[in-house]
Amino acid sequence: MPGKEDKVEITEQENEATQAEESPENEISLSEEELKALCREHVCPECDVMSEAKDERLRALAETENIKKRLIRETEELKKYAADSILSDLLPVLDNLDLALNHAQNLDACKDFVTGVDMTRKMFLDTLAKHGLEAVGKAGDEFDPNFHEAMGMAQASDLPDGSIAQVMQRGYVLKGRVIRPAKVMVNKLG
C-alpha cells in the first residue's frame, strides 16, 4: 500500500513536470511564417466559412475601390463645372450688351458709346473664355439640336437648307456642357 510519502512524491513529481512545461526554456517559439503555415494546415481551404469570409472580404475591397473611384470622378466633375451657375447668371449681362450694340450700332450719335460697349463685351467674353465658356450658334452654321433650339423657319437663299438663318439669342457651352442652347431660325428653302 502506498503510503503518505508516496503521494507526496507523486505530487512533487507532478509539480516538477508542470514547472518544466511552464519554464521559458521549454516554450516553443515559431516565426510568423510558421504560425501562418500551421494555421493553414488546421483550417480546411475548402471550408465554406473560410471561402465565404474570403468572398465577403474581396467584395468589400472591390466596393471600397469603386466608391473611391466614384468620389474622385465626382470631385473632378464638380471642379470642372463649379462655375456653371455663376456663368449662367452672367449670361443676361452678355445679352444686354449685345442688345445695346444692336440698337445703337447704326446711330452716328452713339458711335463712341458703341465702341465702349463693344470693348467691354469683348473683355467680358475673354474673361469668361478663360473659364471655359464658348459661344455657340452663328448664322451659316449647320443646325444641331444638341446646341441649338429652333424658334422657327426662315428663308435665306444664300445659305444651305438646314443651316442657321438667324440667331435670336446666343447660346453658350461650358467645357462641352450646354449651359444655354442658342435660339435660332432654321433655313428652309422652297
Side-chain angles (χ1 to χ4, degrees):
M1 219 170 143
K4 217 178 185 182
E5 291 176 4
D6 289 336
K7 283 185 182 178
V8 171
E9 276 184 41
I10 293 172
T11 309
E12 284 176 16
Q13 287 174 352
E14 287 175 355
N15 278 341
E16 287 173 11
T18 306
Q19 286 175 355
E21 288 174 7
E22 292 175 358
S23 71
E25 297 165 358
N26 295 338
E27 193 175 295
I28 299 173
S29 65
L30 298 173
S31 69
E32 194 169 325
E33 291 173 12
E34 291 171 325
L35 281 172
K36 286 181 182 178
L38 276 173
C39 203
R40 279 190 212 106
E41 287 175 19
H42 292 293
V43 177
C44 176
E46 290 82 31
C47 179
D48 289 342
V49 174
M50 185 171 174
S51 64
E52 284 177 20
K54 196 178 214 178
D55 287 347
E56 194 173 312
R57 181 179 154 270
L58 288 175
R59 271 188 250 115
L61 284 172
E63 189 171 336
T64 302
E65 275 301 309
N66 289 339
I67 289 170
K68 189 190 302 183
K69 287 176 185 176
R70 189 184 81 232
L71 286 174
I72 289 170
R73 194 172 48 249
E74 287 175 357
T75 303
E76 287 172 1
E77 192 164 315
L78 255 172
K79 287 178 186 176
K80 187 175 180 181
Y81 299 112
D84 189 345
S85 64
I86 293 170
L87 294 177
S88 294
D89 291 343
L90 293 174
L91 293 182
V93 175
L94 272 174
D95 293 340
N96 288 333
L97 290 172
D98 287 338
L99 281 173
L101 287 172
N102 287 338
H103 288 303
Q105 198 168 18
N106 297 328
L107 301 172
D108 287 335
C110 298
K111 188 177 178 182
D112 292 335
F113 173 76
V114 169
T115 304
V117 171
D118 190 41
M119 287 173 53
T120 303
R121 182 183 167 278
K122 285 179 183 175
M123 279 184 16
F124 194 45
L125 277 173
D126 289 344
T127 302
L128 295 176
K130 288 178 186 176
H131 295 279
L133 189 75
E134 298 175 41
V136 292
K138 60 182 178 187
D141 286 353
E142 186 177 333
F143 177 78
D144 183 350
N146 296 316
F147 298 103
H148 310 120
E149 182 180 338
M151 301 303 290
M153 300 293 214
Q155 288 186 349
S157 57
D158 58 330
L159 295 172
D161 199 30
S163 65
I164 297 171
Q166 182 182 359
V167 178
M168 308 299 286
Q169 185 180 43
R170 210 177 284 267
Y172 294 94
V173 175
L174 175 65
K175 298 178 184 175
R177 181 193 282 179
V178 176
I179 291 182
R180 181 179 78 188
K183 295 180 181 182
V184 299
M185 299 294 281
V186 181
N187 194 36
K188 179 74 173 166
L189 296 175

